[in-house]
Amino acid sequence: MLAPIKHLLSNYRVVLASGSPRRQELVKMLGLNAELCPSTFEENLNLADYNEFSDYIEATALGKAEEVFTRLSAEGDNKNLIVIAADTMVTLGKEIYGKPKDPEDAVRMLTNLSGTCNRVFSGVVLKHAQGVRKFTDTADVHFGQLLPEQIQNYVDSGDPLDKAGAYGVQGPGGALIHRIDGDFYCVMGLPLHRLCCELNKLFLEDLSS
């Protein structure tokens, strides 16, 4: 997917504004030699200030990208710097399911998600010296009907405690899911197809002028 710009990528410093091993793994799958630089952006935006979930998630990703871009720019020339930032959230109806506060909160979330369809939003921002590209991808995740002991066993594994919605599609959490409508990698935290499309546009349109 990145073949049209492979010769251009080598001239740029690509930084992933994240400490997530899952997102790092996904970026490596694309053949991107991206550095990891976790953002210090405080994720405390008020959802009420945004009309859509997509606006909110993109604003959060933008905050991460701009913080890292500004910090790294202070160290030297940013002309060939590209920062990729992403944020993912799980929603059920009008409620956002972030990372659980504790195991009991994870049990609550998973109990509510059991037998329902939740929607995952992954917002991605590409920040560069000439501007920014941003987009949101969504996927609908259909949970199977879960028994209380299945939920408790999953929570006891520790796997859901650092994940939005208290589950991860990769690993043991994948067994909870009956079906996914949309990009699997959107649920994992970085929609690869759309990211590749936007990177191609970035190099062939934005940076070619």
Side-chain angles (χ1 to χ4, degrees), residues 92 95 97 106-117 151:
L92 184 62
E95 184 178 357
Y97 282 50
V107 169
R108 178 191 67 82
M109 290 184 184
L110 291 167
T111 299
N112 290 344
L113 293 176
S114 173
T116 69
C117 174
I151 291 173

Side-chain angles (χ1 to χ4, degrees), residues 67-118:
E67 187 281 320
V68 170
F69 189 89
T70 300
R71 177 156 40 103
L72 296 181
S73 295
E75 300 174 1
D77 186 12
N78 65 14
K79 181 180 178 182
N80 291 336
L81 174 63
I82 295 175
V83 175
I84 302 173
D87 196 57
T88 299
M89 69 180 186
V90 174
T91 64
L92 184 62
K94 295 184 178 180
E95 184 178 357
I96 292 178
Y97 282 50
K99 295 177 182 178
K101 299 174 184 177
D102 50 40
E104 290 73 24
D105 194 33
V107 169
R108 178 191 67 82
M109 290 184 184
L110 291 167
T111 299
N112 290 344
L113 293 176
S114 173
T116 69
C117 174
N118 64 83

Side-chain angles (χ1 to χ4, degrees), residues 130-148:
Q130 297 181 38
V132 64
R133 274 188 175 270
K134 56 185 178 178
F135 67 88
T136 299
D137 201 22
T138 63
D140 291 332
V141 180
H142 300 259
F143 264 55
Q145 196 69 47
L146 307 178
L147 298 173

Side-chain angles (χ1 to χ4, degrees), residues 192-204:
L192 296 187
H193 179 75
R194 184 72 185 277
L195 174 60
C196 288
C197 290
E198 295 298 329
L199 280 169
N200 278 300
K201 291 178 182 177
L202 172 65
F203 278 92
L204 299 177

Side-chain angles (χ1 to χ4, degrees), residues 29-102:
M29 284 172 53
L30 298 177
L32 279 175
N33 185 25
E35 305 171 34
L36 277 186
C37 183
S39 175
T40 61
F41 175 71
E42 190 171 354
E43 299 178 38
N44 59 357
L45 300 178
N46 185 358
L47 178 61
D49 293 336
Y50 301 88
N51 293 326
E52 304 289 343
F53 283 137
S54 58
D55 297 332
Y56 174 78
I57 201 76
E58 285 179 13
T60 301
L62 180 61
K64 293 180 180 180
E66 290 183 332
E67 187 281 320
V68 170
F69 189 89
T70 300
R71 177 156 40 103
L72 296 181
S73 295
E75 300 174 1
D77 186 12
N78 65 14
K79 181 180 178 182
N80 291 336
L81 174 63
I82 295 175
V83 175
I84 302 173
D87 196 57
T88 299
M89 69 180 186
V90 174
T91 64
L92 184 62
K94 295 184 178 180
E95 184 178 357
I96 292 178
Y97 282 50
K99 295 177 182 178
K101 299 174 184 177
D102 50 40

Side-chain angles (χ1 to χ4, degrees), residues 16-27 29-30 57 61 64 84-90 99 119-126 135-139 141 162-164 167-170 177 180 182-195:
L16 182 62
S18 173
S20 167
R22 296 179 295 278
R23 290 198 177 105
Q24 182 182 27
E25 176 188 344
L26 294 178
V27 167
M29 284 172 53
L30 298 177
I57 201 76
K64 293 180 180 180
I84 302 173
D87 196 57
T88 299
M89 69 180 186
V90 174
K99 295 177 182 178
R119 176 160 289 184
V120 176
F121 291 77
S122 280
V124 180
V125 167
L126 308 176
F135 67 88
T136 299
D137 201 22
T138 63
V141 180
D162 66 341
K163 297 176 177 65
Y167 73 90
V169 68
Q170 71 286 359
I177 297 167
I180 296 174
D183 187 348
F184 171 89
Y185 294 107
C186 173
V187 184
M188 199 168 169
L190 196 65
L192 296 187
H193 179 75
R194 184 72 185 277
L195 174 60

